[in-house]
Amino acid sequence: MPHMNSTHGRTFPIALLFAHVVALPMLLSGCKASDSAESRANEANDRLRYGQYAEAAAAIEPVVRDQPGDWRAQFAYGRAMLGQGKLEDARRSLDRAYRLRPSNEEIVTSLAECMAQQKDVKDAYQLLRAFGKDFRSWRAYLALSRVAEDAGDPDTAATSAMDSIKVNEPLPGQRASIEPYMRAADLAFKFGKEADGVRRLRQAYGIIPNDPRITDALAAHQVAIGKDTALPLGP
C-alpha cells in the first residue's frame, strides 16, 4: 500500500510530490534560459537598429552557440555578420534561420542580400522570385529588382518592379504601399522614360498625397499638383 500524505482530507502519493519537487527547478531553469535568450535577442536587435554590428553579434552569440534552434538568434547573428562583411558566417546563420522560418519575409530578403554580396546572384534570384510568387510578397520582388540592378540586369530590375506592383494588395482597412510605385518611377527615370516615371509618381500620390518624397519628386519633374493628379493604381 503506497505511503500517503493527508492534508484537509486530500491525499497525495509521495512519488507524485517528489516528481513535482524535481520538475520545478528544471522548469524554472528553462524559463530563465528563455528569458535570457529573449533579452539578448532584444539587445541585439536594438544594436542592429543603430548599426552596431559587432556589439549585436557579441550580445546574441551565446544564444546561437547554446540554442542553435532559436531562429531569432540565428537571424540577428546573421544580420550582424552581414553588417560586418563576414559573409560566410552571415550566410550560415541566415540559412539556418531560413530553414527554421521559411515563410519569414525579412529572413528571405536578408539571405538574398547575403547571396548577392557573395556573387551568388542566381541563387538570390531564385529565392526572391519563388518567395514573391508563393507569398505574393511585393517586398521580395522589390529586393529582386534591386539585386538585379546591382548585377547590371535592367530587364529583370524593371520586370520585378512591375511584379511588386501587381502583388501590392493591401489588407482590408489598409492602403497599398507606395514603395513599388516609387521604385518603378525611379527605374523609369534612370532608363529615360519620363512619362512612365511621372505616371508612377502620380499613382503613388493617389495613395499618400502628402508624402514629401512624392510631392518633391513631382515638383522636380514639373508636375503641377491638383485635383486630377492622382491616377488609378495597378500595373
Side-chain angles (χ1 to χ4, degrees), residues 48-94:
L48 287 169
R49 276 192 285 272
Y50 291 99
Q52 298 172 349
Y53 300 114
E55 294 84 352
I60 202 64
E61 192 276 336
V63 184
V64 173
R65 181 190 62 235
D66 298 336
Q67 302 179 49
D70 188 319
W71 70 268
R72 292 180 179 86
Q74 294 288 356
F75 181 37
Y77 191 73
R79 286 184 294 157
M81 292 295 101
L82 186 60
Q84 296 178 82
K86 298 178 180 180
L87 300 182
E88 289 187 9
D89 291 333
R91 178 75 171 264
R92 188 180 305 112
S93 276
L94 291 171

Side-chain angles (χ1 to χ4, degrees), residues 3-23:
H3 295 288
M4 308 296 283
N5 185 21
S6 177
T7 304
H8 300 299
R10 291 177 295 178
T11 58
F12 298 93
I14 295 297
L16 183 58
L17 289 173
F18 179 75
H20 281 294
V21 170
V22 172

